[in-house]
Amino acid sequence: MAGDETTHPDHRGRVIQLAFGTMAAQTLRAAVELGIVELIGDGERTAGDVARGCGTQPVATLRLLRALASLGLLAQTGPDTFAVTSAGGLLDGRRPDSVAAFVRVLTNPVMTRGWERLADSVRTGERSFDAVFGTDFFDYLRQRPELSAEFNTAMSQGAWAVARVLPTAYDFGPFSTVVDVGGGDGTLLTAVLRAHPHLRGIVYDTAEGLAQAKDTFERAGVADRAETVIGDFFASVPSGGDLYLLKSVIHDWNDEQSTGILRRCAEALPAHGRVLIVDELLPERADAAGAGPLELSDLHLSDLNMLVTIGGRERTREDFTGLCHAAGLATPVVTPLPPPFAFALVEAALAG
């Protein structure tokens, strides 16, 4: 009850902990920028060793390392000695499962400054990013190639975990050509092609989004079955596919824009074809309980990030059904991926 002076101490602590969230995120950012995890490696290092390796002030370095230990990313093994935990290892940019670029992007002022005006976005329903930076998010990236490349890397890191399970979580057998709409650097399509040698693939995106895709195909040995096509998925999608794959695309856009993208896919779809949306699935009800490593609260925070920064939204099963119907697709079959994933496969055929 509001104003109840007998509130449980744990509740007070929880609210205060949440207020420190920005500081925790910037602590991760500092660790990534300084290369802390890479420097410590598989053994133990003293704070002095880390400071010398990073070129940082020794006492301040010790304070940072202790904070990282309190967050579970390092383990303090002695008075000034530290080792990397399994969670902290994910900040190593050299690992294929690294989230270092994701941390850098999510904690960049480009992403955080709009959040300072979250209340404005809630009042208006409009993204605040544009008011802060004078343009929309994707146009801002187009004008800054280095930041755009980092964003692409972050999206690739986000796709990596799903790419490990999607090839066996969905039956690709009936299809011959997969069109990965908004597929960026081709990480997801590459995983599908490697697991299913009968398939050909097209990754379709902007020139900036596709910048690393051909290299991805070459490294994976699938370049003879994969191609890149530059275009605007609001206007059209490549013809000739019988499976149109959209991973973490629909959540970037509002309902009208998302319906338009799906309608373009429906227009290109043969009678036997399917549209496969791979996106985060909001539960019908928001509870404080977790859903594994990605907590339900994180999904709802991601939803607010879409509101503030890009103008899209995360969606429930009912929301996806409404989009599919509006785009000329049948009621989708929604299959949540197993934990720890918060993603679902939303498969739709043409409406009868």
Side-chain angles (χ1 to χ4, degrees):
M1 180 183 297
D4 184 354
E5 295 182 0
T6 64
T7 299
H8 194 286
D10 287 350
H11 298 165
R12 179 182 177 84
R14 174 60 173 160
V15 172
I16 292 173
Q17 180 187 40
L18 291 171
F20 273 88
T22 300
M23 299 177 197
Q26 293 301 324
T27 300
L28 265 68
R29 181 176 180 82
V32 170
E33 285 188 356
L34 295 170
I36 297 288
V37 168
E38 292 92 334
L39 197 150
I40 294 176
D42 295 331
E44 298 180 356
R45 300 290 290 269
T46 67
D49 290 337
V50 174
R52 282 187 291 275
C54 294
T56 51
Q57 201 275 338
V59 175
T61 302
L62 174 60
R63 294 164 70 179
L64 174 61
L65 298 180
R66 288 192 301 219
L68 291 167
S70 76
L71 295 172
L73 302 171
L74 300 179
Q76 187 166 5
T77 56
D80 69 343
T81 306
F82 297 84
V84 177
T85 65
S86 57
L90 294 172
L91 299 180
D92 186 338
R94 301 167 299 185
R95 287 174 49 160
D97 59 346
S98 172
V99 295
F102 185 82
V103 168
R104 283 196 300 269
V105 167
L106 203 63
T107 58
N108 191 300
V110 171
M111 299 294 288
T112 60
R113 283 190 58 198
W115 273 85
E116 297 170 7
R117 300 193 186 186
L118 171 60
D120 291 342
S121 286
V122 174
R123 290 187 187 101
T124 65
E126 302 294 332
R127 57 190 180 231
S128 59
F129 183 95
D130 300 35
V132 174
F133 292 99
T135 187
D136 67 77
F137 178 74
F138 290 111
D139 188 56
Y140 188 92
L141 288 185
R142 277 191 289 272
Q143 297 174 35
R144 293 160 178 82
E146 186 174 332
L147 180 61
S148 180
E150 177 127 281
F151 180 79
N152 290 347
T153 300
M155 295 305 97
S156 176
Q157 290 182 352
W160 184 85
V162 173
R164 295 184 67 193
V165 300
L166 180 62
T168 56
Y170 181 75
D171 182 10
F172 288 90
F175 306 105
S176 60
T177 301
V178 179
V179 180
D180 189 356
V181 179
D185 77 344
T187 293
L188 189 61
L189 181 61
T190 292
V192 171
L193 295 181
R194 290 184 69 180
H196 300 279
H198 74 283
L199 288 176
R200 298 191 63 82
I202 299 169
V203 62
Y204 181 64
D205 211 320
T206 63
E208 294 81 10
L210 292 172
Q212 290 86 34
K214 289 184 178 179
D215 289 341
T216 302
F217 296 148
E218 290 287 350
R219 287 195 305 270
V222 298
D224 60 327
R225 292 187 287 124
E227 62 179 299
T228 62
V229 176
I230 296 171
D232 176 5
F233 51 45
F234 292 115
S236 66
V237 297
S239 61
D242 50 3
L243 180 66
Y244 286 79
L245 173 65
L246 303 99
K247 192 269 179 191
S248 296
V249 170
I250 295 302
H251 79 158
D252 282 344
W253 308 102
N254 63 34
D255 286 353
E256 181 180 359
Q257 292 167 317
S258 296
T259 298
I261 296 168
L262 293 175
R263 189 175 288 124
R264 301 291 85 77
C265 294
E267 291 167 354
L269 203 64
H272 71 281
R274 295 291 186 272
V275 172
L276 181 63
I277 303 167
V278 183
D279 231 323
E280 292 176 339
L281 182 67
L282 276 180
E284 298 297 332
R285 171 175 171 165
D287 293 315
L294 184 61
E295 303 290 332
L296 296 184
S297 59
D298 295 336
L299 285 175
H300 290 286
L301 291 175
S302 177
D303 185 36
L304 289 179
N305 191 49
M306 295 297 108
L307 169 65
V308 165
T309 306
I310 300 177
R313 59 182 297 186
E314 307 296 356
R315 292 180 170 87
T316 64
R317 182 186 300 255
E318 182 178 348
D319 293 330
F320 282 116
T321 298
L323 289 181
C324 288
H325 287 171
L329 297 167
T331 299
V333 176
V334 181
T335 307
L337 289 177
F341 300 99
F343 285 89
L345 308 182
V346 181
E347 181 195 45
L350 287 170

